[in-house]
Each structure stands twice: as structure tokens, then as C-alpha cells.
Amino acid sequence: MPAGPAIAAGSPLNGLIERVTFFSEETGFCVLRVKAEGQRDLITVVGSVPAVSAGEWITAEGDWVIDKEHGRQLKAFHLKTMPPNTREGMEKYLGSGMVKGIGPVYAKKLIARFGEELFEVIEKTPNSLEQIEGIGPKRKLQIVQAWSDQRSIREIMLFLHSHGVGTSRAVRIYKTYGSEAIERIRANPYVLAKDIRGIGFKTADEVAHRLGIPRDSVDRARAGLEHVLLESTQNGHCALPNDELLAKAIELLEVGPVIIEQALALMLTGGDVVWEQVGDQSLIFLPHLVRAEKEIAQRIARLATLASTYPAIDFEGAVAWCEQRTGKQLAQSQREALRQILRNRLTVVTGGPGVGKTTLVDSILTILRAKKVRCLLCAPTGRAAKRLNEATGLEAKTVHRLLETQPGSGRFLRNEKNPLECGTLIVDETSMIDVPLMNDLLRALPSHANLLLVGDVDQLPSVGPGNVLRDIIESGVAPVVRLTEVFRQAAHSQIVRTAHRINQGAMPDKQMPEAESDFFFVERQEPEQIRELLIEFVAKRIPKKFTLDPIRDIQVLCPMNRGSLGAREMNQQLQAVLNPLYPGELEVERFGYRFRLRDKVIQTENNYEKEVYNGDIGQIESMDPLEREVVIRYDTRLVTYDYGELDQVSLAYAISIHKSQGSEFPAVVIPLAMQHYMLLERNLVYTGITRGKQLVVLIGEGKALWVAIRKNNTSVRHSGLRRRLQESAAIEQHLAE
């Protein structure tokens, strides 16, 4: 029963927001403490708004209710906020951190000097701000820019909220489209799903519906088809079979096939998609992936026909000198591999852990440098590049840094018109490189340069579209060296032995956790038992026994992100144990995560301006509520994020095995359960195990491990690259004849 009279229409509650107790950017739900007109005590108001800040003025209509925990409050069915126009409200508003560069101290000074005219001063005569001690030209520009940004972001929030969309991505939308954001969305709301991370097709479709786009319109069908194709690239495909594309679009759009087929016909005619027959499949491609596959095939096939451009080398003498120089004796298989590399313009080297890939690369570099051949080294991730650098003693860059990514556009400065300056390019962890990136890398290779592709083809393929390394190897076009001999030093490692056993379809030897080994499989049946034991291992047992830091040195790798043993849930559990929130410490809640000082985090997309890339792992170094910024340390680099940019990172106490590719960690702990059934495959477990350097612990169901090991039918990726490689090779052979 209501505690007070219902507020009748036309009799709203008006007041100043004293404090924002809770606000969800996803839903707009808020709990406010309000100093209301004619009321002595603060009133709790519950409702929904696109954005809210302390100091703003609100008008609310609703019903008085009694909450069991929080007592009397106004449950508002209509809630409107307005910019503050009193000195008290303006000071609270600015002091809340809404405008970067102004905190409580500067808010008080500014209001004391300019009073109610302050907002007009910021907009019309901003130079006057420099009258305040501590505000110079730099801070003045920061305040003016932040004020302008905030107004634009709020306009976007209001627009999204009025069309039934959560406003948490407003900052990202503003950064993507700028001041034209609302016009761009009105013109084509489906760009939201295409351009804005975190906004799915259904959200964009809801905006389109509210803007009056009919459900059976051809434009909607085209957007749906494009979305299905783009989504398939995130699952590793370069194309989809025609029937599968149509079926997925019909399911997504919930319309009949006629309109979908009509839209597809228009897209084919307009060149928005490309149809090709690959084997017995009728495939639909996005045009940029067709172009990339064709260019890769032509360049690889051409390189494969050419002899190396190395200077004359006495092979036996060079090998003997190299062995003496490095102190490492080359096995017969490595000598033959070295001979292949020195003979061919292009060579692919593949093999599992402990088979001497690194020794081989180090040997070829030693010989080539003695012959004054300029060598460049790269790998897909920062961690992989760092490992390559440590193994060879030479500078190794990420592929993106090597190709000189341009901030903003993400395009590469290095290409066929501005090639790399080298005689040999060595690419490590090639299994991680997708079709678009391999094309960019080959475009930048000088016409005279030799190319060495190194990678483990039995690991998981790239996260992006294609299966480049496997396609090159299985096409039979390029010279391939497959190293299989596990060397004596590596053979002592149970990690290496287990990885090879699993790759051959055999279960690992069981080891008791107390035994002297670097690999353990501890069986537990229930998810709760697996989770509890995993946390105990990470927080206590491994740090104590192996003297490792639980945050920096131990990495939990999960087969998937969702579920009670998925990366997302495990992150919440591990954060609570490894990095609890202490009294007085700051916590920032954004995009479903609570970020704290010392948290381990992972970058989840390429950011060319900040020069951090998908998969980079760092640690939160500092948090500034005044500037609304978080600083993350990646190795030796400090990178600053605005609060609104935190959707680019997530907690990294636990990450997916897919995200761990190219990385190596002192200790790895992997939960395995039948709840992961859909993703359980041999190459998944194999990849996870090979990420551990000193220690690997598997915790979970023996049945789940057996299912994964037996399941070796590597998921099919729809692509035309292998066929294109073979066709291009046939053309090269014909020209040579």
C-alpha cells in the first residue's frame, strides 16, 4: 500500500540531485537522492534516464512506494533531467567529474569566480577561465573540449534512449562518427551494428524499426545479409555457402525467403558480395576477402617458383661455423631444413614444441647476418614478438608495427609502393595470421626478398577469417619443412611430451600434484569442485610451491567465455580472491566489469592510435576520477584510457585459449568440463598446454579431456584460398614452360 499520496499528473516532484546512488548505462535505471522543493529530508527517486549527474535538476512523476530494504521512495514513471542553473547545482555537477579537467576543487573556484554565468563562459569566452589559478592554456583547452564532447555525447544518449537503446556505447559512437553521429544513424541505423563494438544487429534493428524502416524492406534484408557475413568472419570464415547464408538471414530477420533472395540478387549485381563456385560449394564472399585471397595466392605461388636471392654460401662450412658460434649442434632434420631455406625464396617451417624451430631460426639468422643480409623479424602479437626477440637477440616487431600502422585509419604505411627494407623476412607464429593481415604482409615484401614462415599448424587457426598456414601447407604449392624430432632437453619436459601425446590422440600421463613434474592433470567431476580447486591452485598452491606471482605469472585459460567455468565468471571469482577491493580504494564499473588498481586486463580489439592490439595483456597502474582516466601498463609502455573507452579491455585473470595464441606464460591452469562440449577439440587443448613455460595444470573431467583429444575434425572454415593457391601455381608453371 502506498506510503504517501500518488503524485497526480501535473503535480511533479522537482528538486536537485544531491547524489547518484546507482546508474546503469546499459538500461538507464537509476537510484537518486534528491533535495526536493518543500521537503526537509532527502528523497529517494527510482526511475530511468539516458544520463544523470549530481547537481542536475529533475522533474519526476510517479507513485510513492515502500521498499522493504530502503523504505519510502518515489518510483517514477516519468523522469526528466535538466542542466543545473543554481550555484549549488552547478558546483555539484562539475565536481562530480562529469567534465574532464574539473573536479571538486576547481568547481568551487570556478563557481566562486563566475557564478551562474560559468557555463556561458566556457562556451563563449573560454579564455576567461585562465583567470583561475592553476588553469593555464592546456587545462583550459581540455575543459572546453570535454564540455563540448559531453554535450554531444548527451545528445547521442538522449537519441538512443528515445529509441529504446542503452546508452553505454554513446562515447564510442561519438568517437566513431563525431558531431554527425545522429544524422549518420538516422540515415542508416544498421551502421551501428557494423561499426560499434558491443552493439549487435538486433539493437540496430530496433532503432531502425523506431525510425520507421519496414520489417520487409529490401534495405533491412541487405543489412541482415551483410551482418550474417560479417559475423561469419568472426568465426573464421571468408565466405558462407549460399543456402546457409539465406537460412541464417531468414532466421535473423524473421521474414520470408523472397525478400532475402531479392536483396541478395541486388547485392550481387552491385558488387556488395561475390559469388564463386569452390569445389561442390556455391559460396558468397565479401569482396575484400576475395581480393585478399587472390593476391595471397598469386604472391605465394610466384615466390614458390623462385630460387633464393642469398649470396653464395658454402653450406657445410657455414653450418660448421654456425654450430661453433652458437654452441648448438644441428640435427640432421635441422640441417636439411636449413638447406631448404637457403635454396628457396619461400619456405614454410612447421612443427610442435621442442622440435627445434627456434634453434633453426637462430641458425639461419647467424649465417645470414654474417653474409650481411638484412633480416626483419615479426610475429602477430606483442608477446610472441618479445619471445622471438629473447630467442634470437634481434629486434622483433608485431606485424602491425612492422607494417607501420597509421593512427586513425588503421591502414599500413608499408605496401608494394613503399616496401619493407630487408633481404629476408621471418614471420613467427604464422598460424595466427588471418587472410587480410597475410595479404598486407605480402604486399609489403620487397620483390627481391626471401620469406620464411614459421608456425605450428596443429595449433588453433587465426581468430580472424581464413586458415592461411594450413591452406599454404596443404595446397602443396610451397616448400614445407615439417620438424618432428623432439630434442633431448625438451623431451625431459612433461609439458612437451604431453602436447605431443595429445597431438597423436593419446591421453596424458596422470601426475600427482606433489610429484616432481611440470604438467599435472587433476580430475574433478563437478563444476563447483573444479572452480574451487582452480582458485586454490592459483591463489595458494602454485605460488607457494613454485614461487610465482599469482597475478603476473599464472594464467587461467578457459575453453570458452560463457558458463560457470568460462573466462567471464572465472574473472569475477579470481578478482575477488587475488585483488579484493580495500576500503578507500577506487573502483570503476563499466561495460559489465568492475575495474580496480592492480587488475590484470587484456586488450580486446586493435587500437591503432594507442598502439595496443587485440590480445595484449597489461595491468592497471593508476586511476584518476578527476580526469576520468585509467592508466594501464603493457610491459614498459603506459597507455591512458578514458572511462568511456574501457569497453576495449576486459579482466584477464582468465582468458580464452583462443586469446592466448602467440603468448607464453610461466604457469597455465586450464579448467575442462563437459559444459565446454561444443568447443572441445584436440587443437584447443593442445594450444592451451603449449602456452605454459614452467608449469601446466589441467583440472576437470577426464571424459571432457578424452572427448577433446578424440575430436580432431578441425572445424571447417569456408574459404577459397587453397584452390586459388593451386590455380595460381598451375598458371606460374605454365608460364615457366
Side-chain angles (χ1 to χ4, degrees):
M1 190 172 172
I7 299 178
S11 302
L13 177 143
N14 298 300
L16 179 75
I17 300 174
E18 188 76 20
R19 185 169 71 251
V20 179
T21 305
F22 177 81
F23 174 64
S24 167
E25 291 181 318
E26 296 292 339
T27 64
F29 177 76
C30 62
V31 179
L32 312 174
R33 296 287 282 166
V34 178
K35 185 186 290 184
E37 291 177 333
Q39 299 285 334
R40 186 178 62 184
D41 298 328
L42 294 180
I43 289 172
T44 299
V45 177
V46 178
S48 180
V49 286
V52 67
S53 178
E56 290 183 312
W57 188 262
I58 68 160
T59 299
E61 297 178 53
D63 296 315
W64 291 101
V65 298
I66 294 287
D67 184 87
K68 290 180 181 178
E69 291 186 33
H70 306 292
R72 185 171 181 261
Q73 56 187 223
L74 180 67
K75 190 173 183 180
F77 50 72
H78 176 75
L79 188 58
K80 183 180 179 183
T81 63
M82 289 162 282
N85 55 15
T86 66
R87 294 171 72 98
E88 179 188 9
M90 293 168 79
E91 186 176 326
K92 278 189 181 298
Y93 180 75
L94 295 173
S96 70
M98 284 302 295
V99 180
K100 187 184 287 191
I102 303 179
V105 174
Y106 281 112
K108 189 177 287 294
K109 288 181 179 180
L110 287 163
I111 292 298
R113 173 66 182 82
F114 299 109
E116 290 89 346
E117 307 300 317
L118 175 59
F119 293 168
E120 193 173 346
V121 168
I122 294 174
E123 289 184 14
K124 295 181 178 178
T125 57
N127 289 339
S128 305
L129 297 175
E130 294 185 39
Q131 297 173 17
I132 305 297
E133 184 181 354
I135 297 181
K138 185 177 178 181
R139 185 176 288 273
K140 174 200 70 179
L141 289 174
Q142 183 186 29
I143 290 170
V144 171
Q145 185 62 51
W147 178 260
S148 174
D149 290 350
Q150 194 59 40
R151 289 190 62 177
S152 296
I153 291 165
R154 287 209 155 209
E155 285 178 15
I156 296 168
M157 285 178 165
L158 285 165
F159 175 79
L160 293 174
H161 197 69
S162 68
H163 290 88
V165 181
T167 60
S168 61
R169 307 288 166 180
V171 173
R172 174 67 68 95
I173 292 169
Y174 176 61
K175 284 184 175 292
T176 303
Y177 303 134
S179 58
E180 299 175 352
I182 293 174
E183 289 77 5
R184 289 282 299 276
I185 297 167
R186 283 188 187 279
N188 180 11
Y190 294 105
V191 295
L192 287 170
K194 187 177 176 181
D195 298 338
I196 309 300
R197 179 184 171 88
I199 292 185
F201 181 83
K202 290 202 178 286
T203 300
D205 199 30
E206 177 61 26
V207 176
H209 177 66
R210 289 178 179 243
L211 287 171
I213 295 177
R215 292 179 59 79
D216 61 351
S217 76
V218 173
D219 287 342
R220 179 173 182 262
R222 290 173 69 130
L225 285 162
E226 185 177 27
H227 172 75
V228 171
L229 280 172
L230 284 169
E231 195 173 51
S232 74
T233 66
Q234 295 168 17
N235 295 320
H237 300 296
C238 292
L240 279 181
N242 186 74
D243 292 345
E244 185 178 337
L245 173 61
L246 292 174
K248 285 179 179 288
I250 289 168
E251 181 183 0
L252 174 71
L253 299 171
E254 298 178 335
V255 296
V258 174
I259 193 70
I260 303 290
E261 290 170 358
Q262 183 183 350
L264 181 57
L266 288 170
M267 293 174 79
L268 286 165
T269 303
D272 300 314
V273 294
V274 177
W275 173 88
E276 283 193 13
Q277 189 73 25
V278 178
D280 59 354
Q281 285 193 314
S282 175
L283 296 181
I284 305 295
F285 289 80
L286 290 168
H288 74 280
L289 292 175
V290 172
R291 287 194 298 271
E293 284 191 353
K294 286 180 176 178
E295 290 181 24
I296 290 171
Q298 290 163 3
R299 288 189 167 94
I300 290 290
R302 176 72 177 146
L303 285 170
T305 65
L306 300 174
S308 75
T309 56
Y310 297 125
I313 294 174
D314 172 12
F315 182 76
E316 294 300 333
V319 170
W321 174 81
C322 178
E323 289 177 334
Q324 184 180 20
R325 181 77 179 252
T326 62
K328 294 177 181 177
Q329 197 78 19
L330 295 180
Q332 188 60 34
S333 59
Q334 290 174 310
R335 292 169 70 92
E336 287 306 312
L338 196 55
R339 193 187 299 274
Q340 265 279 45
I341 293 166
L342 292 173
R343 184 187 300 146
N344 297 301
R345 185 77 67 89
L346 163 68
T347 311
V348 178
V349 175
T350 188
V355 297
K357 295 193 299 293
T358 302
T359 300
L360 180 62
V361 170
D362 195 31
S363 298
I364 191 71
L365 285 169
T366 301
I367 292 170
L368 294 179
R369 291 177 72 204
K371 291 290 184 179
K372 307 299 183 187
V373 176
R374 185 173 186 200
C375 300
L376 292 178
L377 285 70
C378 68
T381 67
R383 284 179 172 250
K386 186 178 179 183
R387 282 169 53 205
L388 188 58
N389 163 253
E390 290 167 351
T392 63
L394 298 177
E395 182 185 24
K397 297 181 179 181
T398 64
V399 176
H400 287 85
R401 288 200 176 97
L402 181 77
L403 298 180
E404 299 178 31
T405 312
Q406 297 303 287
S409 68
R411 296 170 188 262
F412 297 119
L413 191 63
R414 295 289 181 174
N415 50 42
E416 59 267 52
K417 294 179 181 177
N418 181 30
L420 298 165
E421 296 168 12
C422 65
T424 293
L425 175 63
I426 297 176
V427 186
D428 198 13
E429 296 285 359
T430 308
S431 63
M432 295 181 62
I433 297 182
D434 61 23
V435 163
L437 190 57
M438 179 57 81
N439 186 39
D440 286 321
L441 193 57
L442 292 173
R443 287 176 62 202
L445 187 73
S447 59
H448 64 277
N450 304 282
L451 177 63
L452 178 59
L453 302 177
V454 183
D456 185 348
V457 75
D458 294 318
Q459 285 187 24
L460 288 167
S462 59
V463 174
N467 201 347
V468 176
L469 181 62
R470 183 173 293 278
D471 283 344
I472 291 174
I473 291 172
E474 294 186 355
S475 70
V477 168
V480 176
V481 173
R482 188 183 283 271
L483 300 175
T484 57
E485 180 184 350
V486 179
F487 291 97
R488 190 179 307 158
Q489 186 177 357
H492 291 303
S493 165
Q494 197 69 22
I495 295 173
V496 172
R497 288 165 60 188
T498 298
H500 284 279
R501 280 181 64 85
I502 285 174
N503 212 20
Q504 292 158 10
M507 286 284 281
D509 294 327
K510 289 188 180 179
Q511 296 284 334
M512 294 302 293
E514 290 74 26
E516 290 301 319
S517 176
D518 58 3
F519 174 86
F520 304 101
F521 174 42
V522 186
E523 281 204 66
R524 290 293 186 273
Q525 300 306 315
E526 299 299 323
E528 294 77 13
Q529 296 174 331
I530 297 170
R531 185 172 63 244
E532 287 172 10
L533 187 60
L534 182 147
I535 291 171
E536 183 184 339
F537 265 77
V538 173
K540 296 176 182 177
R541 291 168 71 166
I542 294 175
K544 182 179 179 182
K545 184 175 176 64
F546 295 91
T547 321
L548 294 173
D549 183 276
I551 295 179
R552 186 180 63 248
D553 298 329
I554 304 173
Q555 185 61 58
V556 175
L557 301 180
C558 301
M560 58 197 302
N561 285 308
R562 296 188 300 276
S564 61
L565 294 173
R568 193 169 188 89
E569 176 63 26
M570 290 308 309
N571 267 316
Q572 309 292 343
Q573 301 281 339
L574 289 163
Q575 183 192 44
V577 174
L578 300 178
N579 192 25
L581 186 66
Y582 294 105
E585 284 194 329
L586 180 65
E587 181 178 69
V588 177
E589 184 176 1
R590 285 292 187 281
F591 310 105
Y593 282 110
R594 295 174 184 270
F595 295 102
R596 302 168 184 170
L597 202 62
R598 300 178 301 278
D599 270 338
K600 180 158 69 171
V601 295
I602 184 169
Q603 179 78 14
T604 56
E605 63 181 87
N606 292 334
N607 186 316
Y608 304 109
E609 290 186 12
K610 297 182 189 296
E611 290 190 355
V612 285
Y613 301 100
N614 192 354
D616 287 353
I617 293 177
Q619 196 165 9
I620 294 180
E621 181 112 332
S622 65
M623 307 175 85
D624 189 336
L626 172 61
E627 301 294 336
R628 299 175 66 78
E629 291 176 345
V630 170
V631 176
I632 299 174
R633 176 179 291 279
Y634 295 98
D635 292 324
T636 58
R637 293 181 64 238
L638 294 176
V639 181
T640 301
Y641 293 77
D642 183 86
Y643 282 2
E645 297 175 316
L646 289 175
D647 61 341
Q648 297 179 29
V649 299
S650 61
L651 295 177
Y653 300 100
I655 61 175
S656 69
I657 294 174
H658 285 82
K659 284 285 188 189
S660 74
Q661 288 174 263
S663 297
E664 195 174 63
F665 309 96
V668 161
V669 184
I670 304 172
L672 272 180
M674 289 304 291
Q675 67 174 243
H676 304 137
Y677 181 79
M678 292 299 292
L679 289 181
L680 291 178
E681 287 190 359
R682 185 185 297 177
N683 60 359
L684 183 85
V685 177
Y686 173 77
T687 300
I689 289 172
T690 54
R691 300 307 91 202
K693 191 174 181 181
Q694 298 170 230
L695 176 70
V696 173
V697 180
L698 262 62
I699 304 174
E701 301 175 52
K703 182 181 178 182
L705 180 56
W706 178 233
V707 166
I709 291 171
R710 290 184 64 188
K711 199 171 169 188
N712 194 35
N713 54 331
T714 305
S715 299
V716 173
R717 291 191 162 194
H718 298 296
S719 164
L721 181 59
R722 193 179 312 177
R723 181 195 57 128
R724 296 186 210 282
L725 283 162
Q726 292 166 340
E727 289 175 352
S728 294
I731 292 169
E732 289 294 333
Q733 187 175 358
H734 177 72
L735 291 173
E737 293 170 355

